[in-house]
Amino acid sequence: MALLKVKFSQKKRVKLAQGLWLMNWFSVFAGILVFSMGLFLKIELRKRSEVMDNSESHFVPNSLILMGILSCAFNGFAGKICYDSLDPAKFAKWKPLLKPYLALCFFFNILIFFVALICFLMRGSLESTLAQGLKNGMKFYRDTDTPGRCFMKKTIDMLQIEFKCCGNNGFKDWFEIQWISNRYLDFSSKEVKDRIKSNVDGRYLVDGVPFSCCNPSSPRPCIQYQITNNSAHYSYDYQTEELNLWRRGCREALLHYYSSMMSSMGAVVLLVWLFEMAVTVGLRLLHTSLESIANPEDPECESEGWILENSLKDTLKSALENLKKIGKFNQVEADGEGAEGEEGGKTPAITTVS
């Protein structure tokens, strides 16, 4: 028994073709939207590429761009087919191509669904990329005189100001690295010498942070040095001074920013996938309803359309049997070639008559 069998009159077939033509052009605009989202996400990721450890995060925008291009191509072609289906003479040239085209549409819909899923599932990969990238970026913060790294200070400062964050996981990350360049240290000072000697690696570490960590909403001037020394400042307790510095780490801030963006895009792609599925189903019904016309010379007669010619169970069973036949055929061919090789390899016996 056919799956989702529907009876069509000539009027219904025309309405279906016209509706699908319109839906396909809506899908073309949806493809342009998906392409634009991928391009926007790629630009946003490139803005912060200096604080990302690798290019894995660009898999999502590249996939969106590819799906957008394919959507425009597939739906533009389907729109042409639907338009030509109104004229039996024009539709005849598309008949041999429709089955392989519908198979391609099926795999295309699977790809769209996969892209929608990765938009939701890339958070873990993005988190590790940001964590390592920010850690490396903070190490290069002081290298303002080193070619190739002189821009890192500005990048980190602008990042912390824009996203209202500080450090990788929090402001205390700055305590573990030397973020002040040796160029600006007075090595004749006893305090500087003592700090360097007290560190195993000979680094100048302080319980301070760059100015970009300061919260402008704080009612008092920003305390960015001797942050954990309560006695160094009047009426100060660093554990209760919530407004002095940004408490959120930049990894969390950037992860929230990109994750929410990709989740929104994933939801849009999921809606596009549902729309594409509806278009594919409609195109299949149109195809089978035109193929099953009993009398091609009488286009006004009724016909039947369906999604699958047999039930889902029978279709899967038939597909498995075909795969087994192909496997057996390949095995027989391989055995035949092996037997021929063995026969060819035998050395004929030569009898010498004396």
Side-chain angles (χ1 to χ4, degrees):
M1 183 179 177
L3 180 66
L4 198 64
K5 185 182 284 188
V6 183
K7 283 191 175 182
F8 286 93
S9 62
Q10 198 263 347
K11 187 178 179 181
K12 283 184 178 179
R13 287 195 297 269
V14 169
K15 283 186 176 179
L16 178 61
Q18 290 173 340
L20 284 172
W21 178 84
L22 191 61
M23 288 175 71
N24 275 295
W25 284 109
F26 274 123
S27 295
V28 169
F29 290 117
I32 294 171
L33 176 63
V34 172
F35 175 85
S36 303
M37 289 192 306
L39 198 61
F40 175 75
L41 182 58
K42 194 172 185 69
I43 292 169
E44 285 296 303
L45 288 170
R46 283 202 176 276
K47 283 181 182 177
R48 279 63 190 210
S49 59
E50 296 90 352
V51 293
M52 292 185 179
D53 184 46
N54 53 50
S55 59
E56 285 180 12
S57 53
H58 288 273
F59 180 70
V60 175
N62 290 341
S63 300
L64 290 172
I65 289 169
L66 178 62
M67 287 301 104
I69 293 170
L70 289 176
S71 179
C72 291
F74 271 91
N75 289 292
F77 183 70
K80 174 64 175 171
I81 293 174
C82 294
Y83 182 78
D84 286 351
S85 66
L86 299 172
D87 185 351
K90 288 182 179 179
F91 181 72
K93 65 181 180 182
W94 298 117
K95 279 186 178 182
L97 298 174
L98 273 172
K99 279 190 178 179
Y101 174 73
L102 285 167
L104 285 175
C105 286
F106 175 74
F107 288 109
F108 174 64
N109 288 330
I110 292 174
L111 284 175
I112 292 180
F113 184 72
F114 174 71
V115 170
L117 281 183
I118 62 172
C119 286
F120 295 107
L121 300 176
M122 281 296 287
R123 181 184 174 91
S125 175
L126 185 62
E127 185 173 10
S128 59
T129 296
L130 286 169
Q132 190 59 43
L134 282 165
K135 187 178 179 181
N136 294 334
M138 288 171 65
K139 286 179 182 177
F140 303 143
Y141 182 87
R142 63 173 181 164
D143 298 337
T144 52
D145 298 327
T146 306
R149 298 178 185 171
C150 54
F151 59 86
M152 191 55 73
K153 178 185 181 299
K154 180 182 177 182
T155 299
I156 296 291
D157 282 332
M158 294 303 295
L159 178 69
Q160 293 186 147
I161 291 169
E162 182 181 351
F163 286 91
K164 299 179 180 181
C165 59
C166 185
N168 190 347
N169 298 306
F171 68 89
K172 288 187 178 180
D173 291 335
W174 290 107
F175 300 175
E176 300 171 4
I177 62 170
Q178 181 181 336
W179 55 273
I180 301 173
S181 174
N182 289 338
R183 180 182 177 183
Y184 304 106
L185 294 176
D186 181 9
F187 287 95
S188 63
S189 168
K190 184 178 182 301
E191 182 189 351
V192 173
K193 288 179 181 178
D194 290 343
R195 281 191 178 275
I196 292 174
K197 286 178 182 178
S198 65
N199 189 270
V200 177
D201 299 327
R203 296 178 296 168
Y204 182 77
L205 303 182
V206 293
D207 57 342
V209 296
F211 78 97
S212 52
C213 284
C214 293
N215 184 351
S217 301
S218 175
R220 69 185 297 162
C222 181
I223 295 172
Q224 62 180 111
Y225 294 104
Q226 294 186 326
I227 293 169
T228 57
N229 186 0
N230 293 334
S231 61
H233 312 282
Y234 177 74
S235 184
Y236 174 75
D237 183 357
Y238 84 95
Q239 292 181 332
T240 60
E241 290 282 344
E242 295 291 333
L243 292 176
N244 182 51
L245 302 173
W246 302 119
R247 297 281 170 165
R248 185 169 64 160
C250 290
R251 178 187 58 81
E252 181 188 343
L254 283 172
L255 185 63
H256 175 74
Y257 175 71
Y258 286 120
S259 295
S260 59
M261 187 186 296
M262 285 195 287
S263 295
S264 301
M265 290 179 179
V268 173
V269 176
L270 208 55
L271 289 174
V272 171
W273 171 74
L274 290 172
F275 198 75
E276 289 285 353
M277 285 293 292
V279 170
T280 304
V281 169
L283 195 60
R284 174 63 176 168
L285 287 172
L286 179 65
H287 167 227
T288 50
S289 66
L290 290 169
E291 285 279 328
S292 63
I293 292 176
N295 184 9
E297 294 181 1
D298 181 18
E300 293 186 4
C301 66
E302 289 190 348
S303 62
E304 290 183 341
W306 55 81
I307 302 300
L308 295 174
E309 192 170 359
N310 300 311
S311 65
L312 184 62
K313 183 179 178 181
D314 292 339
T315 303
L316 290 173
K317 187 177 179 181
S318 175
L320 286 172
E321 286 176 357
N322 289 333
L323 287 173
K324 286 178 182 177
K325 286 178 182 177
I326 292 170
K328 286 179 181 178
F329 179 74
N330 290 336
Q331 189 176 359
V332 168
E333 278 192 342
D335 292 343
E337 287 175 2
E340 285 177 8
E342 288 176 4
E343 288 175 5
K346 290 179 180 177
T347 306
I350 300 173
T351 307
T352 307
V353 180
S354 54

